[in-house]
Amino acid sequence: MGTDEAAHRLRLLQQEFTTLPACGPGDGRTGRRVHPPVPLNLAVIDHITASVREVAEQARTAAPEAGPLPAAPASIYDWWRQNTPDLDDGAVQARETVIYRQSLEHAIAAGDHKVIRKHPCPGCGCWGLFWRPAAQRAVCVNLDCTDTNGMARTWELKHLAYEHIARQKMLKANAT
């Protein structure tokens, strides 16, 4: 999963999840609204804006002469790659890790928590990760995979993304 998947998920968020669903009348009496509700899902708009801002800041740090941002938010990942072609291996891995993390974030924002299950636990290696929305972290369900307090180990998306990109890099290096 790379830039194309992240761009696809961002495009899906923008197209399908920015408008609020139509609601019917309530089941009881309510006060008259002074203003109509906002026709957009502001949480998704904020998520998209924050994602584009993060990519733009990191790209401009690596390449201050980078051109203007693309008009379509989903094109931001290709823009980042095009404006930073001469990065060293570590910087490329960092860039791809951010892109992959954002891809996971886009999927979770769209309600697809199953993307977490496709990753092995960085602690024990089992395939027992689930998304815990309240903590905004992946949790391992293996009873033997606990922290020093005996609690189930949890992982941030940035750690899962780092592990995934490092694993891909290792597989690519071993394949050639």
Side-chain angles (χ1 to χ4, degrees):
M1 181 183 305
T3 304
D4 295 336
E5 187 69 23
H8 170 72
R9 287 181 174 162
L10 186 58
R11 195 175 305 108
L12 177 69
L13 269 178
Q14 186 179 14
Q15 292 172 349
E16 302 294 330
F17 292 90
T18 54
T19 58
L20 291 174
C23 298
D27 53 349
R29 291 180 52 161
T30 59
R32 179 180 283 204
R33 290 189 176 171
V34 176
H35 301 287
V38 177
L40 300 173
N41 186 335
L42 296 178
V44 173
I45 299 294
D46 289 344
H47 171 80
I48 292 170
T49 302
S51 298
V52 170
R53 185 180 317 116
E54 178 186 13
V55 168
E57 287 172 359
Q58 293 208 20
R60 293 203 189 281
T61 299
E65 71 285 348
L69 295 176
S75 301
I76 193 75
Y77 304 113
D78 288 332
W79 174 85
W80 191 5
R81 285 183 145 173
Q82 291 167 0
N83 283 288
T84 56
D86 299 325
L87 296 177
D88 63 6
D89 286 345
V92 168
Q93 184 170 350
R95 178 186 66 200
E96 296 305 315
T97 299
V98 169
I99 292 171
Y100 188 77
R101 176 185 49 82
Q102 284 196 2
S103 178
L104 293 174
E105 290 172 353
H106 302 332
I108 289 170
D112 182 9
H113 298 173
K114 292 179 185 175
V115 295
I116 299 303
R117 297 182 192 169
K118 297 176 183 175
H119 298 86
C121 174
C124 67
C126 78
W127 296 90
L129 291 180
F130 287 87
W131 183 246
R132 183 176 286 167
Q136 292 294 296
R137 294 170 72 97
V139 62
C140 182
V141 297
N142 183 349
L143 296 176
D144 296 324
C145 187
T146 58
D147 62 13
T148 56
N149 296 326
M151 303 295 291
R153 293 181 83 178
T154 62
W155 307 97
E156 293 181 335
L157 291 179
K158 67 181 179 181
H159 190 80
L160 293 180
Y162 173 80
E163 293 281 333
H164 178 80
I165 296 300
R167 195 168 39 256
Q168 277 189 336
K169 182 179 178 184
M170 182 188 66
L171 289 173
K172 212 178 272 187
N174 290 341
T176 56

